[in-house]
Amino acid sequence: MNALLTVTGLTVRLPLDGEPRKVLSDVSLGIGHGEAVGLVGESGSGKSMTARSIARLLPQGAQVEGEIGYAGTDVRALRGQGLRDFRSKVSMVFQDPRAHINPVRTIGDFLTEALRVNRRVSRRVADGQAVRALEEVGVADSRRRLRQFPHELSGGLLQRVMIASALLTEPRLLLADEPTTALDVTTQAEVMAILDELRRERGLALLFITHDLELAAAVCDRTMVMYAGRIMESRASALLHERPLHPYTAALTAARPSVLRRVHRLTTVPGRPVSAFEAPGGCPFAGRCAHVEDRCRERRPDLRPLAGGEVACVRAEELHQEPAVTRD
Ligand SMILES: Nc1ncnc2c1ncn2[C@@H]1O[C@H](COP(=O)(O)OP(=O)(O)O)[C@@H](O)[C@H]1O
Ligand SMILES: [Mg+2]
């Protein structure tokens, strides 16, 4: 597939207690035009930092190595107008809409600011575009909404406003960082359906970040699994879900409660996740892996092509011969 976005060898360090700590380690990925790609993994695995690196929204003091290319441009070299143009083509939706919206300004001001400031569109025209954008994400009574303040809207409604805002600049790539995690279940499903429909209608590429492998599989063509700041496996979502190659992916799949399986106790992935800077030498998952061998701790496994995808496990072939997860 013709790549819209390519990330090569991305390593990011952030200052923690005054010391640079590695949070992403040699991340390489590509997203094609109109492709929906999931990024899953436990908390702290580096999903948000991956999206923020792409969007050029890393915290102050971040040290970055590697390359980020968007439609033939070097994203890391962008400044001024070039960076503003890039930000209109690559939009981000965050987990907690309230943390990313100014509470003392109206929804209308929030939605039209980029259009009025960057594109010099008149207030009246910008309002018209904002109304249409709100209608597109299923917000009723959208003219009135423009005059309201964020606290007057529910979380689900506010997330729709954020999605409308992300779409106003007609982006080609949407980075959605756990957009439904903070919402209740029914609202989650509605917001997901809207995102999915808009994406298909507009041929948008999507990086969909979630800790829920099943949700990623339902929405995305391909899913990448991240652990300790690294990509551990990347494959077509259906394959990844049905027959995971990496023991970490298998553990994540098994940990998900299922209505089809009666479980007496909910399975969890044993141990706690480690960050990139805490990861030992060798495979970062070795300490929690049910299939660990000495050689897993000796050398860090590269992400390599296998079975139509990529996997970073030296035992993937032999484990793949047996069912990767045992279920009763
Ligand atoms: N502002 C920050 N400064 C320093 N470290 C951070 C900051 N934000 C996140 N981290 C660390 O970076 C690592 C990756 O975090 P993150 O990308 O937010 O994980 P995820 O989104 O997968 O939960 C974690 O170890 C986290 O503690
Ligand atoms: Mg996150």
Side-chain angles (χ1 to χ4, degrees):
M1 190 176 287
N2 191 2
L4 177 66
L5 180 90
T6 51
V7 173
T8 315
L10 179 69
T11 295
V12 172
R13 290 179 178 81
L14 294 178
L16 191 75
D17 302 328
E19 233 184 274
R21 305 269 202 162
K22 201 187 270 190
V23 297
L24 291 182
S25 188
D26 198 19
V27 171
S28 296
L29 59 95
I31 302 178
H33 290 270
E35 191 187 17
V37 180
L39 182 58
V40 304
E42 289 163 291
S43 171
S45 55
K47 305 181 296 295
S48 294
M49 289 305 139
T50 303
R52 285 171 176 274
S53 304
I54 295 167
R56 291 273 307 267
L57 292 171
L58 282 174
Q60 278 237 312
Q63 297 173 12
V64 183
E65 287 167 45
E67 288 162 31
I68 301 172
Y70 170 80
T73 55
D74 174 1
V75 173
R76 291 192 53 206
L78 291 173
R79 304 279 180 273
Q81 189 57 42
L83 185 57
R84 282 193 288 279
D85 289 345
F86 169 75
R87 291 223 167 102
S88 71
K89 293 294 152 206
V90 177
S91 287
M92 196 151 167
V93 178
F94 300 93
Q95 175 174 345
D96 177 9
R98 283 194 210 281
H100 295 272
I101 190 164
N102 188 336
V104 299
R105 300 191 61 208
T106 63
I107 300 300
D109 282 340
F110 169 71
L111 282 173
T112 58
E113 183 167 31
L115 293 172
R116 287 182 291 120
V117 176
N118 297 341
R119 300 208 173 171
R120 312 212 179 278
V121 171
S122 75
R123 177 85 215 204
R124 205 174 57 82
V125 172
D127 277 358
Q129 289 188 20
V131 164
R132 276 195 299 283
L134 287 177
E135 282 165 359
E136 234 189 309
V137 295
V139 174
D141 207 1
S142 47
R143 286 241 167 240
R144 184 171 64 91
R145 298 294 182 199
L146 293 189
R147 296 190 299 273
Q148 288 188 306
F149 288 90
H151 72 265
E152 298 177 77
L153 271 56
S154 68
L157 210 46
L158 205 56
Q159 192 61 298
R160 288 175 198 231
V161 170
M162 301 305 279
I163 295 169
S165 153
L167 294 174
L168 267 174
T169 55
E170 289 170 23
R172 303 307 308 148
L173 171 64
L174 192 63
L175 307 169
D177 189 358
E178 308 218 30
T180 61
T181 305
L183 309 176
D184 66 68
V185 179
T186 45
T187 316
Q188 261 180 22
E190 284 166 19
V191 169
M192 251 356 276
I194 286 165
L195 260 181
D196 196 41
E197 191 184 317
L198 287 170
R199 184 187 80 71
R200 287 172 199 278
E201 276 172 8
R202 296 177 171 229
L204 261 182
L206 173 71
L207 180 68
F208 178 63
I209 296 179
T210 173
H211 55 265
D212 186 339
L213 209 140
E214 246 167 71
L215 184 58
V219 181
C220 301
D221 308 314
R222 186 160 54 86
T223 299
M224 304 181 294
V225 178
M226 195 165 216
Y227 186 75
R230 300 183 157 260
I231 310 274
M232 306 298 261
E233 178 165 3
S234 164
R235 278 203 305 159
S237 300
L239 292 174
L240 187 89
H241 189 245
E242 293 303 316
R243 203 144 184 230
L245 288 183
H246 200 290
Y248 179 57
T249 316
L252 281 183
T253 315
R256 183 80 166 59
S258 166
V259 286
L260 303 174
R261 257 187 296 148
R262 274 192 55 194
V263 281
H264 300 292
R265 240 173 84 195
L266 206 58
T267 336
T268 55
V269 187
R272 85 175 170 87
V274 293
S275 303
F277 59 85
E278 303 169 300
C283 173
F285 188 59
R288 303 170 73 194
C289 184
H291 308 282
V292 65
E293 287 181 345
D294 286 347
R295 61 182 168 139
C296 303
R297 303 184 199 272
E298 284 157 15
R299 237 192 111 246
R300 182 149 284 175
D302 292 326
L303 192 63
R304 59 195 169 87
L306 184 68
E310 293 175 295
V311 65
C313 171
V314 288
R315 299 202 61 199
E317 284 90 344
E318 33 169 328
L319 295 174
H320 199 47
Q321 301 305 311
E322 311 152 20
V325 202
T326 33
R327 290 177 177 174
D328 53 5

